[in-house]
């Protein structure tokens, strides 16, 4: 079983969020996944997590999976706010989106996204992508020690 990490999944598609969590469970990934459905919910979650962290509870996520095409406040706006914030800017953000726009890729990297992954349409390819996220982000990457 892999080390428990806090993952914030920012995804408005219930089907995609469910599939991602199911693959993590299949792969026996010990992660604590919190799902939020839009950018406003994401920023509210992060504000609350920062307040809890300041009071001594490790509440900030270790990493984020962020869709760009979200209702209310899209992922591009979320990424801009996170990377401009002195506390949140160190959270690795993996863009996981259907957008294949070169403009979105360039903008995401210029805003310091950790990586940009396009969701494939075929179910088996989507599962393969989620497994590759597991193999790299939950197995190979070193995270700071938890407080």
């Amino acid at each position: 079983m892999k080390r428990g990490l806090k993952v914030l999944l920012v995804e408005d598609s219930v089907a995609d969020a469910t599939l991602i969590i199911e693959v993590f469970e299949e792969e026996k990934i010990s992660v604590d996944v919190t799902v939020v459905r839009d950018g406003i919910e994401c920023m509210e979650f992060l504000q609350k997590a920062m307040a809890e962290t300041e009071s001594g509870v490790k509440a900030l996520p270790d990493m984020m999976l962020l869709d760009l095409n979200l209702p209310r406040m899209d992922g591009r706006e979320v990424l801009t706010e996170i990377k401009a914030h002195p506390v949140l800017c160190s959270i690795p953000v993996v863009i996981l989106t259907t957008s294949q726009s070169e403009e979105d890729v360039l903008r995401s990297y210029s805003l310091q996204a950790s990586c940009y992954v396009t969701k494939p349409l075929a179910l088996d390819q989507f599962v393969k992508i989620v497994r590759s996220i597991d193999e790299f982000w939950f197995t190979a990457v070193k995270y700071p020690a938890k407080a």
Side-chain angles (χ1 to χ4, degrees), residues 5 7 21 33-34 38 45 54 60 79 81 88 91 93 103 110-111 124 127-128 132 136 138:
L5 297 171
V7 176
I21 291 168
V33 179
T34 300
D38 63 49
F45 173 87
E54 286 174 8
L60 285 170
L79 185 60
E81 284 199 26
L88 302 176
I91 298 171
V93 178
E103 183 180 326
S110 73
L111 291 169
D124 63 327
V127 169
K128 187 176 179 179
S132 71
F136 183 73
F138 303 139

Side-chain angles (χ1 to χ4, degrees), residues 1-77:
M1 181 107 30
K2 293 153 188 160
R3 183 176 85 142
L5 297 171
K6 290 181 182 279
V7 176
L8 180 58
L9 174 57
V10 189
E11 175 60 66
D12 63 321
S13 165
V14 173
D16 286 356
T18 300
L19 181 60
I20 290 166
I21 291 168
E22 285 176 1
V23 172
F24 289 168
E25 288 171 354
E26 252 177 44
E27 297 296 310
K28 304 209 182 331
I29 301 169
S30 175
V31 293
D32 176 12
V33 179
T34 300
V35 180
V36 295
R37 303 284 179 215
D38 63 49
I40 300 289
E41 229 182 290
C42 173
M43 296 313 297
E44 288 170 352
F45 173 87
L46 291 171
Q47 290 296 328
K48 183 178 176 201
M50 280 192 297
E52 290 176 15
T53 299
E54 286 174 8
S55 69
V57 176
K58 170 63 171 98
L60 285 170
D62 295 297
M63 68 149 333
M64 289 177 56
L65 296 172
L66 176 64
D67 188 7
L68 292 181
N69 302 314
L70 300 167
R72 298 200 301 160
M73 177 184 193
D74 75 17
R76 296 159 195 85
E77 295 169 293

